[in-house]
Amino acid sequence: MQKVREVLRLRWGLQRGVREIGRSAGISHSTVGDILQRAEVAGVSWPLPKDLDDRGLQQMLYPAVGTQHRKPEPDWGLVHQELSRKGVTLQLLWLEYRAEYPAGYAYSRFCQLYRKWQDRADVVLRQRHRAGEKVFVDFSGQTVPIIDGFTGEVQQAQVFVGALGASNYTYAEVVAAQDLDNWVGAHIRMFEFFCGVTEIVVPDHLKSGVSLSCRYEPGLNPTYREMAEHYGTVVIPARPRKPRDKAKVESAVGMVSRWVLAPLRNRRFFSMQEANRAISASVKALNERKLQRMDATRRSLFEQLDAPALKPLPAERYVIARYKKARVNIDYHIQLEKNYYSVPYQLTKEEVDVRYTDSVVQILFRGRRVASHIRNFGRNRYVTDPAHRPAAHQKHLE
């Protein structure tokens, strides 16, 4: 439509001749005449209305274009949705389409139009990360072998990676396994490395921290949620099968793989501490490495952007706690790892929540703490608060 606009401008705006307009616009003089004739029939004048776009101008001058012999258009959104179902293919959907519209598109054109629709629908949102807003965390797919100096047994240590959204400042360490204690402990050490806490933590759907990891409370693991509450942050997991939601940590994992783990591939480590010292030095070098497209480093961007915006660390370090459900026995005790702890006798046969750390066992009923005991690591031992006994039992023991 740009040439049509140019023809109308030269003819009615500048009063140029038909052949002169044709030479200027690069079209034949007969085409110029056809455009002017169509414009007169459609009642188009110069200057054109400001709100008239190319589609509107085309419909005014060429009302039949795009409508003659137009084939029935499939519902591409429905096609896309059906393809997500098991066993459904484009060929099957095309056959169903042709059964309904025998004069519809051929299979090759059907596929071509769907791919074109998909390219428009599957657009990428370029995320802008505010300073101090998000940290992206995940385990790398790579492992680091740790050799037992006495037995020679090799343990494959897991690599935890965290990256800040605004500065890409990166943290990495090795832990023994992808379990809850190591997952939460790595977060604690990461926050201490950053000397602050972000507003949001974005993990993958790791089983130990997110999504059905706790059999009694689906969703975010209670320990993970409690850690976030202690540090004043919120955990918002990336959507399943949406790697773009955590592109920062995916990129950081790649950088750690190339610039931290690959240079250490020939070194032999005999303890986690030794491996983490080497990794810490390599991560420091990575953060001080100049970025390709910027005259800056991750560290300088961190000091400029993220560091001033991070929340301060709490006064005390989070102590990892675990949760479980328990039913109160008829002797008003609950069982925890082969030991028994008392609760008020009124809760006999009730279901309670047990929160326990390495030093303390707390028992909660409907969100309220009803008992607290020092944890015992023996076997078949009873830890009883005399106040939990009914009056008759107390008198009998006296």
Side-chain angles (χ1 to χ4, degrees):
M1 288 292 106
Q2 289 299 321
K3 288 193 175 184
V4 172
R5 292 174 181 272
E6 183 66 4
V7 168
L8 298 179
R9 184 183 74 86
L10 294 177
R11 180 60 175 173
W12 292 338
L14 300 180
Q15 305 298 320
R16 312 310 299 183
V18 172
R19 292 184 180 275
E20 190 178 10
I21 294 172
R23 289 194 300 271
S24 175
I27 55 179
S28 66
H29 65 278
S30 60
T31 302
V32 174
D34 180 65
I35 292 173
L36 295 174
Q37 184 179 2
R38 287 177 177 275
E40 289 179 359
V41 171
V44 176
S45 59
W46 187 263
L48 296 174
K50 292 183 179 180
D51 59 349
L52 182 63
D53 58 9
D54 287 348
R55 177 175 292 184
L57 182 60
Q58 179 177 340
Q59 290 175 351
M60 293 177 69
L61 300 185
Y62 305 92
V65 173
T67 59
Q68 291 180 340
H69 310 295
R70 186 173 181 84
K71 298 181 184 297
E73 194 78 8
D75 183 347
W76 297 118
L78 181 61
V79 170
H80 185 72
Q81 181 180 346
E82 288 295 307
L83 282 173
S84 64
R85 299 174 66 177
K86 188 175 182 179
V88 178
T89 64
L90 269 177
Q91 187 175 26
L92 173 63
L93 296 175
W94 173 74
L95 290 172
E96 294 175 351
Y97 162 74
R98 285 300 293 265
E100 186 175 357
Y101 304 106
Y105 293 116
Y107 177 62
S108 58
R109 180 61 174 164
F110 182 88
C111 295
Q112 181 185 22
L113 290 173
Y114 169 69
R115 300 300 180 198
K116 186 176 180 181
W117 176 91
Q118 187 182 36
D119 289 342
R120 291 197 302 268
D122 192 21
V123 295
V124 177
L125 172 65
R126 185 169 296 279
Q127 300 185 47
R128 296 186 179 275
H129 300 284
R130 290 191 295 108
E133 181 186 27
K134 293 179 181 179
V135 60
F136 298 83
V137 293
D138 201 359
F139 278 115
S140 168
Q142 284 186 267
T143 58
V144 175
I146 306 294
I147 304 170
D148 189 313
F150 295 100
T151 65
E153 183 181 356
V154 178
Q155 176 189 1
Q156 296 297 331
Q158 306 295 319
V159 182
F160 173 88
V161 179
L164 290 170
S167 63
N168 292 314
Y169 196 56
T170 302
Y171 172 78
E173 69 165 284
V174 293
V175 294
Q178 293 190 16
D179 58 11
L180 181 64
D181 286 355
N182 285 297
W183 174 249
V184 174
H187 281 69
I188 295 170
R189 293 183 288 274
M190 177 187 68
F191 291 143
E192 292 172 353
F193 175 78
F194 294 150
C195 296
V197 183
T198 55
E199 296 176 15
I200 302 171
V201 178
V202 183
D204 197 0
H205 269 65
L206 185 74
K207 187 177 180 181
S208 61
V210 182
S211 182
L212 301 179
S213 55
C214 175
R215 62 182 292 190
Y216 303 106
E217 190 169 353
L220 210 60
N221 185 284
T223 302
Y224 197 24
R225 184 181 63 245
E226 186 180 80
M227 182 274 295
E229 182 180 352
H230 181 84
Y231 285 97
T233 186
V234 59
V235 177
I236 303 180
R239 294 172 296 173
R241 298 178 296 280
K242 296 290 183 180
R244 291 171 185 163
D245 284 7
K246 53 185 180 69
K248 284 283 183 179
V249 75
E250 297 287 352
S251 175
V253 164
M255 297 300 293
V256 168
S257 176
R258 287 191 294 273
W259 298 105
V260 176
L261 301 181
L264 301 175
R265 66 190 183 281
N266 294 323
R267 288 189 56 177
R268 302 174 70 189
F269 300 107
F270 295 92
S271 68
M272 294 286 182
Q273 294 78 8
E274 182 185 359
N276 274 321
R277 282 195 296 269
I279 286 176
S280 178
S282 297
V283 168
K284 181 180 179 181
L286 170 65
N287 284 325
E288 293 177 352
R289 182 184 181 86
K290 186 176 178 181
L291 297 170
Q292 289 185 350
R293 299 182 182 180
M294 298 179 67
D295 187 19
T297 65
R298 287 175 175 81
R299 174 175 285 279
S300 64
L301 290 176
F302 167 73
E303 293 172 350
Q304 177 185 352
L305 299 173
D306 281 314
L310 292 175
K311 297 180 180 180
L313 291 169
E316 296 181 358
R317 196 184 206 197
Y318 174 68
V319 177
I320 297 175
R322 286 184 170 273
Y323 284 82
K324 65 167 291 186
K325 294 281 187 181
R327 188 158 304 270
V328 181
N329 297 326
I330 58 174
D331 62 354
Y332 44 89
H333 285 72
I334 58 98
Q335 183 179 3
L336 174 65
E337 296 186 354
K338 300 181 180 179
N339 288 298
Y340 301 88
Y341 301 87
S342 69
V343 299
Y345 72 92
Q346 295 91 341
L347 299 179
T348 298
K349 295 188 177 181
E350 294 283 2
E351 188 178 65
V352 295
D353 295 300
V354 184
R355 178 188 183 273
Y356 58 102
T357 68
D358 290 340
S359 58
V360 176
V361 176
Q362 295 176 322
I363 303 165
L364 302 95
F365 180 66
R366 296 178 181 174
R368 183 175 63 88
R369 188 175 68 184
V370 295
S372 182
H373 302 280
I374 296 175
R375 188 171 176 187
N376 198 314
F377 287 93
R379 254 176 103 86
N380 296 322
R381 294 182 180 176
Y382 283 77
V383 181
T384 307
D385 184 344
H388 292 163
R389 296 188 176 109
H393 289 193
Q394 294 181 28
K395 289 179 181 180
H396 175 78
L397 289 175
E398 290 172 0

